[in-house]
Amino acid sequence: MTVGARVGIIGSAGRMGQALADAITAAGHDVSGGIDQGGDPLALAQASDVLVDFSAPAALEFNLDAAIHAGIPIVVGTTGLAERHHWLVDAAAVSVPVLQTGNTSLGVTLLAHLVREAATRLGEDWDIEIVETHHRMKVDAPSGTALLLGEAAAAGRGVRLAEERVAGRDGVTGARLAGTIGFAALRGGTVAGDHTVHFLADNERIALSHLAENRAIFARGAVRAAQWLIGKEPGRYSMPEVLGL
């Protein structure tokens, strides 16, 4: 993305939207505009070289349609997506470049790479548990980042996360089943996002962690992704590709 590229922000009034505006300007680009609920994504897309979406799952279809009609790339950082939303992303990627991720942090992207490597090399006698902490206002759990890390672990083992995922243990749950991937979510305070993937075996443990101190890291990563995405062929892309992993 050349200096002065026009970046449109979907979800501009939120905390991420404000951080994005600062990151776009700091990188030498222009904020072409911003919209929120009730705004016109097509008008924003037509005034932009790339869109960055941190809004809500319910708005994703309209935002993807806007990118398609304007013929521009879109970075989707919205979390809480269901299977239907991924179908929509796949469909949009036939026409325009789409980068969808549960976390735009470059550090988390590298962490996911390390998690996959560890899961590939360690056997099923190593249990995998993912613990995440976020601010009290977060509405979805597990976080998109925790699921991204879970997918990385599952890919390393050659299994589907949907079949091995265990979340929300409560009461008499019985012994832990071998090969499962556990999730725990903590909420409170103003935590931007902490994630730890635990690999636990008999008499030894490995913990791989990422601690987010400020939302600016997600904004900087999103701008990096938008910069990388401009000029790409239509398709579905990911943050590891931005880092060449």
Side-chain angles (χ1 to χ4, degrees), residues 75-120:
V75 175
V76 178
T78 302
T79 60
L81 301 185
E83 188 173 5
R84 172 180 175 272
H85 299 113
H86 289 285
W87 294 340
L88 293 172
V89 170
D90 288 339
V94 174
S95 302
V96 295
V98 183
L99 190 153
Q100 182 275 322
T101 180
N103 191 300
T104 54
S105 160
L106 301 180
V108 166
T109 300
L110 182 58
L111 174 61
H113 178 73
L114 297 174
V115 167
R116 179 168 181 164
E117 288 291 303
T120 298

Side-chain angles (χ1 to χ4, degrees), residues 52-181:
V52 180
D53 181 8
F54 278 91
S55 57
L60 181 60
E61 184 170 6
F62 301 103
N63 300 336
L64 291 171
D65 284 346
I68 292 169
H69 283 94
I72 64 169
I74 180 171
V75 175
V76 178
T78 302
T79 60
L81 301 185
E83 188 173 5
R84 172 180 175 272
H85 299 113
H86 289 285
W87 294 340
L88 293 172
V89 170
D90 288 339
V94 174
S95 302
V96 295
V98 183
L99 190 153
Q100 182 275 322
T101 180
N103 191 300
T104 54
S105 160
L106 301 180
V108 166
T109 300
L110 182 58
L111 174 61
H113 178 73
L114 297 174
V115 167
R116 179 168 181 164
E117 288 291 303
T120 298
R121 287 161 173 73
L122 299 174
E124 282 196 5
D125 53 331
W126 287 74
D127 301 322
I128 301 176
E129 295 285 322
I130 300 171
V131 180
E132 54 102 341
T133 305
H134 280 85
H135 53 88
R136 63 172 68 93
M137 302 302 292
K138 187 167 179 61
V139 298
D140 58 306
S143 68
T145 302
L147 293 173
L148 180 153
L149 295 171
E151 292 286 1
R157 283 188 166 173
V159 300
R160 295 184 66 248
L161 180 61
E163 296 173 356
E164 303 297 341
R165 173 181 166 184
V166 175
R169 293 188 182 96
D170 185 41
V172 181
T173 60
R176 190 186 195 283
L177 295 177
T180 55
I181 299 173

